[in-house]
Amino acid sequence: MVTLSATVMRMTHLLKVLILSGLATLSPLLWAQESARVFDNEGQLLFSYQDDQILSRDDEVLFTLSGNIVFYGDSREKEDFAYLIREKDVFDKRLGYIYDATGANVLFSVHKGNFYFGTGRFNDQLLLEMDFSNSMRVLMVDGQEDDTIGYSIASSLTGQAWCAIFLTWMESGKVGERLRLEQELEEQARTGDDIVGRMKLEWDSGFYYEWEWDGKRIRPRWGNRPEDEWVFDGETLMPYWGNSVQDEWEWDGQYLKPAWGEVPELTFIWDSSSFRPFWEYREDMDWVIEESLAYPKWDRSYEREWTIEGTIPVPVIAIVVLGIADR
């Protein structure tokens, strides 16, 4: 006769066997789920995450993740160190950070699925929002435009993996260009590089209409006016703070125009001597730009002349004299 206690022991043993067997079967499946694919709005694959690596659509290794360290390419060598991640769960309320390769400077902040530029959590610093639409799909929303730019199919990813996905998106577009430009500016500030150009509205005896150019950034020489600081990379002019595509201007060496679309009244042309509206000509916006002077072509009033010292690119001078830079 089998006692009750013996029966319980047998059932307990059987349950343990079933649990261990189930875990053994399930573990490879759970491991296989630690992958992701990121698509654009049309469903075209942009890149994927698998086995701690970010792969392009052509299976080129873009990043390798090792713990909380992100390396460029298929590498875990010190010279390929790209980012340091301090984040466990990008979707919870705890604040996480992504550092540069030195581990000393915060590049991005992470909070509740939102990625911000720098250490703040202000709207003009929001770069990307990750929004769970269901258990498998995560929407990718541009932080400035508030438009869905794509989505990812993933499950059971670590916070570091989500950060690597964000970094891949970031480096693929203008956000990456802006980051590299700002890193150059920070390095320039650390090395003490001098200002390479200045311009001033000649008639004004105050300080408001004085600007300085450091080779990357045009900004007011005096006063606290961060909203009026602009950066130029040779092709794009954009505000240094609070940048969105509506604030960007494109320069191709001849035409300066808004980056967000064709706006005839805001399209200008440079003909090697003067800068003027291209489609809708207006005399008051036709400016002659010389080596050390800028003035309206049809109005040589002394109070409207700008003096220029050093070397400043033509489109940078243009946004100042046209009033675009002063927001």
Side-chain angles (χ1 to χ4, degrees):
M1 181 178 178
V2 179
T3 65
L4 180 60
S5 60
T7 302
V8 171
M9 291 178 61
R10 290 178 183 176
M11 291 180 65
T12 301
H13 177 73
L14 179 60
L15 183 59
K16 288 181 179 180
V17 172
L18 290 174
I19 290 174
L20 291 174
S21 177
L23 288 176
T25 304
L26 187 59
S27 293
L29 295 177
L30 291 174
W31 180 261
Q33 288 179 348
E34 293 184 353
S35 63
R37 292 177 295 165
V38 179
F39 302 87
D40 62 18
N41 288 332
E42 284 70 46
Q44 296 295 316
L45 179 67
L46 298 177
F47 56 89
S48 60
Y49 172 81
Q50 187 173 358
D51 296 333
D52 295 327
Q53 291 185 324
I54 297 286
L55 306 173
S56 71
R57 68 177 69 186
D58 299 321
D59 290 332
E60 175 189 359
V61 179
L62 304 177
F63 289 112
T64 296
L65 185 61
S66 179
N68 62 346
I69 300 176
V70 180
F71 296 88
Y72 284 114
D74 186 11
S75 172
R76 287 180 171 83
E77 300 297 328
K78 184 177 180 180
E79 59 267 23
D80 295 314
F81 194 118
Y83 301 97
L84 176 67
I85 298 171
R86 298 294 188 190
E87 176 59 81
K88 293 183 178 180
D89 185 351
V90 301
F91 298 103
D92 70 13
K93 63 182 180 181
R94 288 175 296 181
L95 191 61
Y97 297 104
I98 300 176
Y99 295 79
D100 64 6
T102 68
N105 302 305
V106 175
L107 300 178
F108 308 103
S109 302
V110 190
H111 182 248
K112 293 183 177 180
N114 295 340
F115 291 80
Y116 298 86
F117 187 85
T119 58
R121 283 177 287 159
F122 303 101
N123 289 337
D124 63 355
Q125 292 176 278
L126 180 59
L127 299 174
L128 185 70
E129 299 176 65
M130 290 187 180
D131 180 29
F132 268 112
S133 61
N134 58 49
S135 60
M136 292 288 291
R137 183 184 292 256
V138 176
L139 297 181
M140 318 280 282
V141 181
D142 186 286
Q144 294 300 305
E145 301 302 310
D146 199 29
D147 293 330
T148 300
I149 57 175
Y151 61 93
S152 60
I153 303 296
S155 181
S156 302
L157 290 188
T158 63
Q160 290 88 344
W162 282 119
C163 287
I165 288 174
F166 159 74
L167 290 168
T168 306
W169 170 83
M170 182 278 301
E171 288 218 355
S172 67
K174 287 189 177 295
V175 179
E177 295 170 11
R178 180 185 176 192
L179 172 66
R180 283 185 284 274
L181 185 58
E182 297 205 14
Q183 287 175 321
E184 290 178 12
L185 287 170
E186 290 177 2
E187 177 62 25
Q188 189 178 69
R190 284 195 295 269
T191 57
D193 290 350
D194 294 332
I195 299 300
V196 298
R198 290 192 174 96
M199 57 188 297
K200 180 182 184 298
L201 192 60
E202 188 59 37
W203 71 272
D204 186 68
S205 59
F207 304 111
Y208 188 87
Y209 294 103
E210 289 192 43
W211 297 75
E212 57 185 18
W213 168 249
D214 61 11
K216 295 290 184 182
R217 173 171 46 181
I218 185 76
R219 59 188 173 188
R221 186 179 182 187
W222 310 103
N224 182 25
R225 293 158 55 193
E227 71 279 4
D228 295 335
E229 297 183 17
W230 292 70
V231 291
F232 180 54
D233 62 4
E235 297 180 354
T236 304
L237 277 155
M238 67 187 86
Y240 184 63
W241 302 102
N243 178 45
S244 68
V245 70
Q246 286 89 354
D247 298 316
E248 294 182 5
W249 293 73
E250 294 179 347
W251 168 251
D252 64 2
Q254 184 179 19
Y255 294 96
L256 180 68
K257 58 185 180 179
W260 64 89
E262 296 295 332
V263 185
E265 63 270 23
L266 295 179
T267 300
F268 299 88
I269 184 172
W270 166 246
D271 65 4
S272 298
S273 63
S274 70
F275 202 90
R276 65 181 188 275
F278 180 66
W279 294 107
E280 300 181 10
Y281 182 75
R282 300 179 297 283
E283 285 189 358
D284 64 322
M285 302 192 79
D286 191 345
W287 285 80
V288 174
I289 299 177
E290 299 176 348
E291 183 176 352
S292 60
L293 199 64
Y295 56 87
K297 187 173 184 179
W298 306 108
D299 180 4
R300 286 305 305 270
S301 300
Y302 175 75
E303 64 268 17
R304 296 193 68 191
E305 291 185 358
W306 290 79
T307 56
I308 303 169
E309 301 175 1
T311 303
I312 305 177
V314 166
V316 174
I317 296 173
I319 67 168
V320 173
V321 300
L322 292 172
I324 297 170
D326 186 357
R327 299 196 296 167

